Amino acid sequence: MRPAAIGPFKIERELGRGGMGEVHLARDTRLDRQVAIKALPAHLAQDPDRLARFQREAKVLASLNHPGIGAIYGLEEANGHQYLVLEYVEGETLADRLAKGPIPVDESLPLAKQIAEALEVAHEKGIIHRDLKPGNVMITPDGVVKVLDFGLARTEEGTPSSSATLAKPDSPTVTSPARVQHSPTIPGAIMGTAGYMSPEQARGKPVDKRSDIFSFGCVLYEMLTGAQPFAGETVADAIGATLHKESDPQLLPTSTPRRVRELLTNCLAKDKRNRLHDIGDARLELDRAIGGREWSAAAGSTASPQRSRTGAVGAACVLVVLAGGIGWLAASRLTRAVPAAPPQVFHVSTTVQSKPPFRSLVGISPDASFVVYAAWPELDPDSTKPEGVLVVRRLDRDETSIIQGTEGARTAALSPDGRWLAFCSAKDRAGTKFSLKKVAIDNGRSSGKPETICDLTQGRQFQLGWTSDREVVFAPEMGTTIYAVAASGGEPRVILSEERSEGIEGWERFSPLVPGRSLLVTHVSIAGEKIKVNTEVIDLATGARRMVLPDAGTAQLVTDTLQGGNLLVALRADMAGLVAVRFDLGELRTLGDPVRAWSGNPASAFSLSISGTLALSTQPSDLSDRRLAWLDDKGQPQPIPGPTRAFSEISVSPDGGRVLANLEVSSPDDLSSELWVQDLTRRTSTRIPIQGFAMGLMWSPDGQRIVHGSFAKDQFSILERPASGAGEAVKMFTMPLAEQTFLQPSAWSPDGKLLAIVPTDMKINRSDVLMLEQEAGSQQWKATPYLNSPADKHALRFSPDGEWVLFCSVESGRHELYVQRFTGAGSGVRDAAGGRVQLSTSGHDGAAWWSPDGKEIRFIDGDKQVMSMQMRTEPTLSASLPKTLYSIKELKTRNFSWSHDGRLMVILEGENERTNRIDLVVNFMEEIRAKLSTAK
């Protein structure tokens, strides 16, 4: 039995155990910090060999002082037992991370480099780890690697264990219980972990630092492929594979750099004489692969913060040189001064201590000294639930700071001179009133408090930009009117106002063409399910429009300071990369054909500095790695067997045995999606044929029919069809596209006679609730208003007996959940007889669940907590206080659905869905010039 305390260390709970020790979490009462306490199991404490190794670990760790190696704080003794006091490292082991699958190349290499750095420090002190494996590597929330468990370590001058007993099935290293059976460590003459130990280690021969290099190669291979290079069902099988089989290079991702492939070959050589001799050489090879041209071409999803900081420092040095030389280049107009430097990619960290998470790029300053981006904040349940915060990142030093006063920012734009940042933010908790503000940026830092420019109406989302350094331009999303207002404040003026066409159209991304005179804009239109994106020029004096670049948007005018003239750089309409074309500023026309200037993962935003440095953020090109999972009673996801797909929305059938899923379809020109019914028991899937785009999935109470919203053929509709997919869909309700009213079903009444639907006016982004009821003796459905007060309302659900309804409203100034008696369609007012009761107290996010017996309601509050409350309807309506069941705040989920028994099914995001970095491309103008020189 473990003691309650060891000296000043109060034991809290067990962290893990294995053959070589038990580890507990403890609190250092003197320094008020958490530590890890490691002790030998009682049945091994009297083994002189094991005890000697345990004491040796303390000495080994004490000699290693490196941020990549778990530190030792002391050695304690209590009741005849010895205990190591170690640094407590928060995060997950590399083994836990690999349990989710392989790690992307651009994330694996920076992590591997950190492991190599830690081993290099140990090897320089003559210390060999001898048990390097994923279970002994921790990754902190900040992306910092910590190599742990030097319990098998020894110095090169030392001697291995003298024990010559046969291998036992226990493990002398500390692993999590879930990993022990997969990582058997063999005590006695053979010490290490089968599947990771070197051939000489497996044979019980003397080892040196090249054994660690072999293990390092095994770890790196597994990071990239998700599979051990020398796996086996038993320890003997794994050792046999290590001795006699080669790793399979075909399993490596195609984007693996050539240097890394060669490094793996050199690390995994069977004969240590042919193996890489120094782990420092591996570190150098990884560094070259990360920063080299070959690596930049394969740049993908997520870079670790540690690598990002290194890349930022390298980028800063280049940026300072470029910024200082721009004036000289412009003045001399030399076309062949020195050979052009090739473009180089650096990755800039976009997090502050990994928080707040990166959302989108705003822009890069003209001198490339800083970038501004939007991030998701850590939400406080008592806050106004801001949707974003703005962050400035210096590029000449490792300095990132949140811009105070920008909480709740939705969109933002950096002024052409880089001195001001305009942004749109909510004025109230519900997000129904907005204002346009600005904040000063001085030398890459925010200066002073934000100032209000004007209030905004006619929408909830606004596109922002600048016509010059002194005037801000904005437009409501999906609106046809563009406004401008002096940056110093005042009344907005109309630049352009047009009658709406038959389809949906709107404006995005404004940037000055000729400051104060003309504006580059992106025009987006949707008609007949087709999406068109074009770049246009608007004359600020007359409002005249002129299309200058078809099939591309988010354009920016760039002056070629080296060769003269102007360029337009824009995102291709299919978001597959950037295009560039020469531009005649006098005639307002392009010269020649656009060329592809940059390719890679689809770009979501870009910004180009005067110095020719490109800041670029990307989005994942493949969403097919999403998975369905049930949440257990602790909120932990339990993946559902079946293929991963691009799930975007789900609905669980009433019996819980099927799920209706909407899949995202990658199409730059069309709004389309796919509907599938997945049988969870038989693990089969049936495709439901649809046209256009589906949203708002729902099952009928008997599970025989499905209903969903639809956008197809210039109409928003509510469609009903058999769940089997057979037969034609029935159109229950329709609104023409010109009305811009988005339709979704909300709930069936228990008897299936009423369907609540939610129309959303996209012009003002406000939702109401209608009831659809089939007319007697007819196949036609009649719509009756139910909830149509000025406050936004949605997410209605019926009670099991149909006597009550739940719904969400912002009438209090925040999204909250209410319940009231249902007295029929058209009666959605405060019912004097039954009353209305507010259920949630900290916001409401998404639909709610009502238990079949009507006694419990579950919902997700504004802080992503799953809440439960007990309900009574007799003699009067009453509810208990909400009780927290679990939190889903940390889960990366896309959508969820309640099952009949109150469980949540969720869509888990794929590993690479959210980008958390900005790519800086230095010397990008050289890339453009080279490609334009060969264009027509």
Side-chain angles (χ1 to χ4, degrees), residues 6 22 37-41 45 51-52 54-56 58 75-85:
I6 298 170
E22 300 172 356
I37 302 289
K38 180 175 180 179
L40 278 178
L51 187 59
F54 184 74
Q55 293 171 334
R56 184 168 62 249
L75 184 62
E76 298 286 333
E77 185 172 345
N79 300 325
H81 293 275
Q82 290 187 322
Y83 302 89
L84 276 177
V85 184

Side-chain angles (χ1 to χ4, degrees), residues 819 839 850 854-857 869-873 877-880:
V819 63
L839 300 182
W850 205 321
K855 295 182 179 180
E856 182 188 7
I857 288 175
M869 57 197 319
Q870 301 301 309
M871 297 295 300
R872 294 182 59 184
T873 57
L877 179 67
S878 63
S880 68

Side-chain angles (χ1 to χ4, degrees), residues 647-701:
F647 297 107
S648 63
E649 186 181 6
I650 54 174
S651 178
V652 180
S653 65
D655 62 5
R658 292 168 294 166
V659 58
L660 177 61
N662 196 2
L663 306 186
E664 293 190 22
V665 176
S666 178
S667 174
D669 301 321
D670 299 296
L671 281 175
S672 58
S673 57
E674 293 182 3
L675 284 186
W676 290 77
V677 173
Q678 184 168 325
D679 190 307
L680 301 179
T681 302
R682 297 172 57 227
R683 300 184 185 178
T684 59
S685 298
T686 303
R687 184 172 181 175
I688 308 296
I690 64 169
Q691 288 184 335
F693 185 79
M695 57 275 182
L697 312 181
M698 191 160 296
W699 294 82
S700 63

Side-chain angles (χ1 to χ4, degrees), residues 386-397:
E387 290 202 8
V389 66
L390 300 176
V391 180
V392 61
R393 169 60 190 258
R394 293 285 294 268
L395 299 179
D396 55 352
R397 65 191 66 161

